[in-house]
Amino acid sequence: MSAHKIIIAIDGFSSCGKSTLARELAQKLGYNYIDSGAMYRAITLYFLRNYVDYSDPGKVLDAIANINLSFVFNEQDQHSDIHLNDEDVEPYIRDMIVSEKVSEVAAIRKVRSFAVGQQKRMGRKKGIVMDGRDIGTAVFPDAELKIFMTAEPEVRVMRRFKEMYATNQHITIEEVRHNLELRDYIDSNREESPLRQAEDAILLDNSGLSREEQLEIVLEWVKDRATNPQAATTPAP
């Protein structure tokens, strides 16, 4: 593969495996992985911990002024963890209470402006993989490779349920289904940078794909774009 480094933008619905694919791609390519979802979850965690009334624009601005986000490589797990004001909050940002509020917080214009500004700075040197809801449409509209991930709703529900059940054995499938449906609605209908597929993004439905299969497919797309950044959109499988 050419040494030419590119930006890989991965968008899509919740529990489609965006973060898993992005991490594996970054590790395979030697790229930096930026988890935009973790950033919004960390901001949400700060709001919850500090009882921030995020319906009040002034209080949102005051809160953001006190938030410092960074990614720190975890030697044990071999991936980057999100740090909130120098605290590793990776173990807390997946809690249901954060999951229930993160779409509302992420829909706030000032919050998105704050996060997107940081994300754009992180991508200046290229060689990054970032996943989220608006990476290919708002954060990096000129990314060389844009992927929009999706999967059948029940496949997503079961993936999310298994993930959450590992740490919360009281969670129910109905709670997970309701949370995903609500997040899909909020993400797709918010006024600020709604979830949508970029016109030049490649659709990847991984309902019937293993992690290994989807990684192999996407690595071919990366190879194509890294050697020919101006290439036309590769047909979806």
Side-chain angles (χ1 to χ4, degrees), residues 13-20 23 35 37-38 41 90-103 131 133 151-184 187 206:
F13 293 97
S14 300
S15 300
C16 285
K18 298 187 301 296
S19 297
T20 297
R23 286 193 182 98
D35 184 350
R41 284 175 174 271
E90 196 72 31
Y92 312 114
I93 62 172
R94 311 293 172 185
D95 288 347
M96 180 58 83
I97 188 171
V98 175
S99 295
E100 288 176 343
K101 300 297 182 182
V102 64
S103 289
D131 68 288
R133 304 292 192 279
E152 293 296 327
E154 283 307 305
V155 171
R156 296 167 52 217
V157 168
M158 290 309 301
R159 286 174 181 170
R160 183 64 173 158
F161 174 72
K162 290 176 181 177
E163 176 187 332
M164 299 198 72
Y165 187 79
T167 56
N168 178 10
Q169 296 183 358
H170 297 292
I171 196 74
T172 68
I173 290 178
E174 283 307 313
E175 286 178 303
V176 172
R177 180 178 291 108
H178 174 73
N179 176 248
L180 286 183
E181 289 174 352
L182 180 61
R183 291 185 64 188
D184 285 350
D187 291 341
N206 65 6

Side-chain angles (χ1 to χ4, degrees), residues 19-61:
S19 297
T20 297
L21 174 60
R23 286 193 182 98
E24 291 177 347
L25 274 176
Q27 185 176 27
K28 194 78 172 179
L29 298 168
Y31 280 22
N32 290 321
Y33 166 59
I34 302 172
D35 184 350
S36 71
M39 296 174 71
Y40 288 111
R41 284 175 174 271
I43 295 169
T44 302
L45 180 65
Y46 181 90
F47 282 11
L48 291 171
R49 283 179 170 180
N50 293 276
Y51 304 100
V52 176
D53 178 4
Y54 50 83
S55 66
D56 184 326
K59 291 181 179 178
V60 168
L61 284 175

Side-chain angles (χ1 to χ4, degrees), residues 36-195:
S36 71
M39 296 174 71
Y40 288 111
R41 284 175 174 271
I43 295 169
T44 302
L45 180 65
Y46 181 90
F47 282 11
L48 291 171
R49 283 179 170 180
N50 293 276
Y51 304 100
V52 176
D53 178 4
Y54 50 83
S55 66
D56 184 326
K59 291 181 179 178
V60 168
L61 284 175
D62 289 342
I64 288 173
N66 292 303
I67 293 176
N68 177 53
L69 300 177
S70 60
F71 286 94
V72 178
F73 189 73
N74 185 322
E75 291 286 351
Q76 182 177 352
D77 296 334
Q78 291 295 297
H79 64 73
S80 296
D81 290 343
I82 185 75
H83 282 227
L84 169 63
N85 295 336
D86 298 323
E87 175 194 356
D88 184 352
V89 294
E90 196 72 31
Y92 312 114
I93 62 172
R94 311 293 172 185
D95 288 347
M96 180 58 83
I97 188 171
V98 175
S99 295
E100 288 176 343
K101 300 297 182 182
V102 64
S103 289
E104 295 178 27
V105 172
I108 300 170
R109 184 183 299 272
K110 294 298 183 183
V111 170
R112 297 205 73 80
S113 296
F114 168 72
V116 169
Q118 294 205 16
Q119 292 159 9
K120 285 180 179 291
R121 285 192 292 273
M122 292 175 184
R124 284 175 182 166
K125 295 183 178 180
K126 303 238 175 175
I128 66 164
V129 185
M130 185 181 295
D131 68 288
R133 304 292 192 279
D134 61 350
I135 309 306
T137 55
V139 183
F140 296 121
D142 296 324
E144 291 86 350
L145 176 59
K146 302 176 189 177
I147 300 169
F148 190 88
M149 293 180 67
T150 188
E152 293 296 327
E154 283 307 305
V155 171
R156 296 167 52 217
V157 168
M158 290 309 301
R159 286 174 181 170
R160 183 64 173 158
F161 174 72
K162 290 176 181 177
E163 176 187 332
M164 299 198 72
Y165 187 79
T167 56
N168 178 10
Q169 296 183 358
H170 297 292
I171 196 74
T172 68
I173 290 178
E174 283 307 313
E175 286 178 303
V176 172
R177 180 178 291 108
H178 174 73
N179 176 248
L180 286 183
E181 289 174 352
L182 180 61
R183 291 185 64 188
D184 285 350
Y185 179 82
I186 294 174
D187 291 341
S188 300
N189 291 278
R190 68 191 181 207
E191 181 178 347
E192 187 72 13
S193 301
L195 169 65

Side-chain angles (χ1 to χ4, degrees), residues 193-235:
S193 301
L195 169 65
R196 61 181 177 85
Q197 181 179 344
E199 290 184 2
D200 54 346
I202 306 171
L203 180 66
L204 176 62
D205 185 332
N206 65 6
S207 300
L209 296 176
S210 67
R211 287 171 55 175
E212 294 76 16
E213 289 170 334
Q214 74 170 7
L215 180 61
E216 183 178 347
I217 290 169
V218 176
L219 282 172
E220 284 299 313
W221 295 346
V222 175
K223 181 179 179 180
D224 178 53
R225 295 305 173 83
T227 54
N228 182 16
Q230 301 303 318
T233 300
T234 306

